[in-house]
Amino acid sequence: MGFIQAIIDRYQKNIQEQNDACSSLISSMEDALRDAESIFSDPSAFIDPQAESDWQKCYSNVFALSNPQDLRQFKKASQYKTLLDKQKNLFHIARSMPQRILEHNEHAANMKIQEAYALIGEVEGRQLDRQQMTCIVKEAHNHLVIAGAGTGKTTTIVGKIKYLLKAKKCLPEDILVLSFTNASATEMSKRISAETGYDMDAFTFHKLGLNIITNVNGVKPNITQIRLQDFIKKQLLFHMQSDAYLRLLNSYLLYNRISAKSEFEFQSQSEYDEYLKLNPPATMNHEIVKSYGEMDIANFLAQNGITYIYEHPYETDTRTSEYGQYHPDFYLPDYKIYIEYFGINKDHQVPSYFKASNGMTASESYLASMNWKRSIHRDHHTTMIECYAYEKMEGNLLDALKRKLEDAGVILTPKSSRELWSEIAAEGTSVLDGVIELFETLISLIKNREYDIETVRSLNRTGSSVQTNHLLLSLLEPIFHAYCQYLLKHKEIDFNDMIHLASEYVRQGKYTHPYKYVIVDEYQDISQSRFKLLDCMRKSRDYDLFCVGDDWQSIYRFAGSDISFILNFSKYWGAAEISKIETTYRFTQKLIEISGGFIMQNPAQIKKSIRGE
C-alpha cells in the first residue's frame, strides 16, 4: 500500500508542478499581451521600430515556444486550453505588430503634420510637401529617407533641423550634419544658418575626423600633400626599369586590362554584343576581334613574333548551298597553319542564345559547323589548330596554344619586355594613365578597409577574376608599400588614415562626442570606414540617426562607398523607419518615366515612384 501511495503522491506532485508552470507561463503571456497594448497607448506618439524587437526580446522565453507542439508538456494541466488560446492570441499580435506600428505611426504623423506646418512655416521659401513633412515629424532612433534626384533632399534636412529646434527637442549644439564634399558641407552650413539663424556643426567626414584627432592630441595631424596619382606614376616608371616588373605589366595590359567575360555569362546575343561593344576586344595590332579568347590568341602570336592574318579567306573556294566561303579565325602564312577558336564548354555545349539552324539546337548546329571545318582541312590536307572557350575559362588557353604551336613546328620568338612595351605604349599616354587611375582606386579601397596586400590576396581565392587580381596585386604591392612607408617616414596621414585614427580614438574612449542627433546627407555614398566612425560614435554615446540618400545616385563607389549600407540599412543600424520622398521639382514626368524605368530594371534598387511636380 505504501508503494502505491508513493506513486499517487508523485503523480499528484507532477500534476501540481504542471499546473504551476502552466499558470506561470499564462501569466507571462498576459504580461506580454498587456505590454504589447501599452506600446500603442498614446495615439499621438511615434513608436520606434525597435519597440517590436525589444518587446519580443523581453519575452523571449515565451516566443521560444513557437507552436502548439511546444506546449504539449502542459497537456495534463487544468489550464492547458487557456494556455493554447493565449499563445494563439500572442502570436497573432506578434505577426500583426509591424503593420500595426506602421499604421499607428502614419496616424501619429498625420496628427503632427498640421501642427508642424504651423510651427516651422515655409522652408527656404516654400511649403514642404506631405512626404517631406512626414519625414520631418517622424521620431525614430534610426531613420532612412530615400529621396530621388530633385526631390528636395537638402531642403528636407534643413526643415528637419528647423523642426527639431522649433519644437525644442534639442539645442543647435546637439546636432551634427555630415556630408561628403567640402562644397556640399559649406552649402549645407549656409542654408541651415540662413533658415534657422544658427551656426552649427556641418562637416565632411574628414573634417569630423580631423576635429576628433586634434581634440585628442591637442595639435592638428600632418595631412599629406601628396597627389597620389603623381606618386603612383613616379613609382610605376621606377619599377618599369625592372624587366621582371615590366613583363608583368605587359602581361596585364595584353591579357587582363579588359574585364573579359565568357560567352556563357550572358543570357542573350544582344546582351553579349552590347558588352563587346562597351568593352571591345582589341588586339596589339589594333584589330577588333569577335571574342576575348580570340584577342588573347592574337596577342600571344604577336608577342611571340608569329605573323598571322585575321579571318583570311581559306585557300580553296568552300561555298556550298549551306555554307559560304570559309574564313578561319587566324592564318599563319609562314607555316600555312590555321587556328580556330571554338566557343564550346567541356561538355561541347554553346550558350543557348547561339544561332540554331536546320531543326538542330544551337549546340548541335555549332558542332556541325565545327565538323564541317574539320572536314575542309582534312580533305585539303591543311593543318588546323583548335582552341576552346573552356580553355580560356579555365585559365590555360595560352599554355595549351603554346604546346599546340610547338607540336606543329611553329617557332616562337618571344619579344623582349622593352620591345613589347614600346608597341603597347604606341597607343599613347592613355594606357599608362588607365593603370595609374586603377592603382589610385585600389590603394584607396584597400586603405579604406584597413587591409594590407596579404589580406587582399587571401580574399582573392574564388571567382572568375582570380588570375587578373593576383597579377594586379603583384604590380600594386611595391607601390602600395612605398606609399605607406612614405607616410610613416614623414609622419603624415592621408584622408583614409584620418577616418581610421578618429574611429580608434572614439573606440578607446579618448573622445566622446556631444551630439544627440546625427544627420547624414547623400548616405548612399557612405564607405566602410565612415560607417565604422559613426558606429564607434554611437557605441560611445548614443544618438538618433537621420540619413537621406538615393541608391540610384551612388557616385563614390570607386572611392570605397558601399551601396549595401543603404540597401540593407536595418542590418547595420537595427530596426529603422524607412521613408520616401518621391516628388521631384527638377525633371518633367516624361523624363522621370524614361530614366526611372531603366534604372529600376536593377532588382537591387529600392523601389520608388518618382513623380513630377
Side-chain angles (χ1 to χ4, degrees):
M1 291 293 292
F3 174 72
I4 294 174
Q5 186 62 46
I7 292 175
I8 293 172
D9 290 345
R10 190 179 306 116
Y11 175 78
Q12 290 177 338
K13 182 181 179 183
N14 288 340
I15 292 295
Q16 186 58 47
E17 287 175 349
Q18 276 199 28
N19 283 334
D20 291 344
C22 182
S23 178
S24 176
L25 189 54
I26 289 172
S27 179
S28 293
M29 289 182 176
E30 289 173 341
D31 289 344
L33 289 167
R34 186 168 51 253
D35 285 354
E37 288 307 310
S38 71
I39 291 173
F40 302 92
S41 60
D42 186 349
S44 65
F46 285 99
I47 300 172
D48 193 283
Q50 187 66 35
E52 179 198 358
S53 59
D54 287 345
W55 172 66
Q56 293 206 21
K57 186 177 180 181
C58 180
Y59 294 99
S60 57
N61 62 318
V62 174
F63 285 103
L65 305 170
S66 57
N67 61 65
Q69 295 299 319
D70 296 326
L71 302 182
R72 291 183 65 84
Q73 58 183 301
F74 303 107
K75 193 171 184 180
K76 295 181 180 180
S78 58
Q79 291 185 288
Y80 178 62
K81 186 177 183 306
T82 301
L83 181 65
L84 291 177
D85 290 342
K86 293 290 183 185
Q87 185 198 48
K88 183 178 179 181
N89 190 21
L90 183 64
F91 279 89
H92 171 73
I93 294 294
R95 284 191 297 271
S96 63
M97 185 171 283
Q99 182 61 29
R100 193 176 172 191
I101 290 175
L102 181 66
E103 292 171 356
H104 175 98
N105 283 345
E106 290 302 320
H107 178 72
N110 290 334
M111 293 176 66
K112 288 182 177 291
I113 282 175
Q114 291 308 317
E115 175 188 335
Y117 273 128
L119 188 64
I120 67 174
E122 292 185 338
V123 177
E124 298 192 315
R126 70 177 183 85
Q127 182 170 295
L128 301 187
D129 65 42
R130 193 166 188 81
Q131 281 190 321
Q132 289 174 306
M133 288 302 293
T134 301
C135 296
I136 284 170
V137 300
K138 280 185 177 179
E139 298 168 10
H141 192 47
N142 303 304
H143 193 170
L144 172 64
V145 178
I146 302 297
T151 57
K153 295 191 293 290
T154 305
T155 301
T156 302
I157 290 173
V158 173
K160 177 72 174 179
I161 294 168
K162 188 176 182 180
Y163 176 74
L164 290 173
L165 297 176
K166 288 280 188 179
K168 301 190 184 305
K169 295 184 179 293
C170 65
L171 299 172
E173 56 267 29
D174 296 329
I175 301 173
L176 170 65
V177 185
L178 291 169
S179 193
F180 287 84
T181 66
N182 287 322
S184 61
T186 300
E187 181 191 359
M188 182 73 75
S189 182
K190 288 178 179 177
R191 289 171 68 169
I192 293 169
S193 179
E195 188 66 30
T196 68
Y198 293 104
D199 292 327
M200 58 184 64
D201 291 348
F203 305 140
T204 62
F205 278 87
H206 292 128
K207 180 65 163 59
L208 172 63
L210 178 65
N211 289 352
I212 291 172
I213 295 168
T214 303
N215 181 282
V216 173
N217 293 338
V219 294
K220 290 184 177 181
N222 290 322
I223 302 170
T224 187
Q225 299 302 306
I226 284 180
R227 186 172 181 269
L228 188 52
Q229 283 195 4
D230 292 341
F231 183 89
I232 292 170
K233 183 175 183 179
K234 184 177 180 181
Q235 285 289 317
L236 197 54
L237 292 173
F238 169 75
H239 288 291
M240 284 169 63
Q241 296 175 35
S242 158
D243 278 343
Y245 189 91
L246 189 57
R247 194 180 309 116
L248 283 178
L249 180 61
N250 289 337
S251 180
Y252 167 74
L253 293 171
L254 287 174
Y255 303 111
N256 303 93
R257 180 174 27 155
I258 297 171
S259 180
K261 290 189 175 184
S262 161
E263 300 90 327
F264 291 86
E265 294 183 56
F266 300 90
Q267 300 300 313
S268 67
Q269 187 68 49
S270 59
E271 185 183 333
Y272 179 46
D273 291 343
E274 182 65 20
Y275 191 83
L276 291 176
K277 183 178 178 181
L278 293 173
N279 305 276
T283 71
M284 266 182 72
N285 293 335
H286 310 294
E287 304 140 324
I288 302 298
V289 293
K290 290 191 178 72
S291 69
Y292 299 113
E294 288 186 359
M295 179 187 75
D296 285 357
I297 292 170
N299 286 342
F300 182 84
L301 296 173
Q303 179 184 359
N304 287 282
I306 302 169
T307 301
Y308 70 86
I309 305 172
Y310 182 64
E311 293 195 328
H312 186 67
Y314 186 67
E315 60 191 52
T316 303
D317 188 347
T318 61
R319 291 174 297 167
T320 67
S321 60
E322 185 178 355
Y323 293 102
Q325 177 59 37
Y326 176 31
H327 291 78
D329 293 333
F330 300 94
Y331 175 57
L332 312 187
D334 293 338
Y335 299 92
K336 295 188 178 181
I337 289 175
Y338 298 88
I339 300 175
E340 283 284 8
Y341 177 75
F342 293 127
I344 60 172
N345 62 20
K346 271 200 164 180
D347 296 323
H348 294 82
Q349 300 292 309
V350 299
S352 59
Y353 59 82
F354 272 26
K355 186 178 179 181
S357 62
N358 299 328
M360 295 184 287
T361 66
S363 293
E364 290 169 342
S365 182
Y366 194 90
L367 289 174
S369 174
M370 287 174 60
N371 287 328
W372 176 76
K373 292 173 182 178
R374 287 167 176 161
S375 69
I376 292 291
H377 289 285
R378 185 173 57 251
D379 293 346
H380 294 88
H381 306 290
T382 52
T383 301
M384 176 178 67
I385 292 175
E386 297 186 13
C387 299
Y388 309 102
Y390 65 79
E391 294 174 321
K392 167 74 172 169
M393 289 187 278
E394 293 174 353
N396 56 26
L397 171 65
L398 300 184
D399 288 338
L401 176 60
K402 179 183 179 183
R403 185 180 65 254
K404 294 168 188 176
L405 288 170
E406 289 176 338
D407 288 347
V410 177
I411 298 172
L412 279 64
T413 312
K415 295 178 181 178
S416 71
S417 298
R418 301 292 156 192
E419 288 177 302
L420 269 180
W421 171 247
S422 65
E423 292 185 28
I424 294 170
E427 294 183 34
T429 59
S430 62
V431 175
L432 208 55
D433 288 345
V435 175
I436 292 167
E437 191 174 314
L438 175 61
F439 283 7
E440 181 185 30
T441 300
L442 289 173
I443 289 172
S444 179
L445 288 170
I446 293 169
K447 285 180 65 65
N448 182 277
R449 291 185 174 266
E450 296 185 272
Y451 290 161
D452 55 26
I453 295 292
E454 284 308 310
T455 301
V456 179
R457 225 180 232 118
S458 69
L459 295 172
N460 179 45
R461 289 177 177 169
T462 58
S464 59
S465 301
V466 170
Q467 288 183 319
T468 299
N469 292 341
H470 179 77
L471 181 55
L472 270 175
L473 288 173
S474 296
L475 290 167
L476 180 67
E477 185 170 15
I479 297 174
F480 180 82
H481 287 160
Y483 179 61
C484 293
Q485 286 299 316
Y486 179 93
L487 295 178
L488 189 65
K489 179 180 178 181
H490 293 84
K491 297 180 180 178
E492 295 176 352
I493 61 174
D494 62 14
F495 286 142
N496 281 302
D497 296 325
M498 191 185 301
I499 299 292
H500 295 316
L501 186 57
S503 299
E504 189 62 17
Y505 282 166
V506 174
R507 189 190 67 79
Q508 293 174 359
K510 295 180 179 180
Y511 175 85
T512 303
H513 70 87
Y515 306 110
K516 293 181 181 178
Y517 288 88
V518 173
I519 297 173
V520 183
D521 187 20
E522 303 293 357
Y523 180 77
Q524 74 277 356
D525 291 325
I526 197 165
S527 63
Q528 177 73 31
S529 60
R530 292 181 177 98
F531 166 78
K532 181 182 175 183
L533 176 56
L534 289 178
D535 188 46
C536 287
M537 288 172 63
R538 173 169 271 190
K539 288 172 180 173
S540 168
R541 182 172 184 261
D542 203 6
Y543 56 78
D544 284 345
L545 180 65
F546 184 84
C547 300
V548 181
D550 178 8
D551 62 313
W552 290 8
Q553 296 189 73
S554 183
I555 61 173
Y556 286 105
R557 202 170 306 182
F558 68 91
S561 70
D562 188 339
I563 198 71
S564 70
F565 284 118
I566 190 170
L567 295 178
N568 304 297
F569 188 79
S570 297
K571 171 186 172 183
Y572 294 99
W573 294 112
E577 183 73 29
I578 310 294
S579 303
K580 295 179 182 179
I581 305 175
E582 297 168 306
T583 301
T584 180
Y585 300 91
R586 190 183 302 169
F587 307 118
T588 65
Q589 184 63 30
K590 185 63 178 176
L591 180 58
I592 292 163
E593 290 169 0
I594 294 170
S595 59
F598 172 74
I599 294 170
M600 290 309 296
Q601 291 179 37
N602 182 351
Q605 300 290 348
I606 296 172
K607 305 300 180 187
K608 45 188 174 289
S609 302
I610 302 300
R611 301 182 293 270
E613 186 181 20

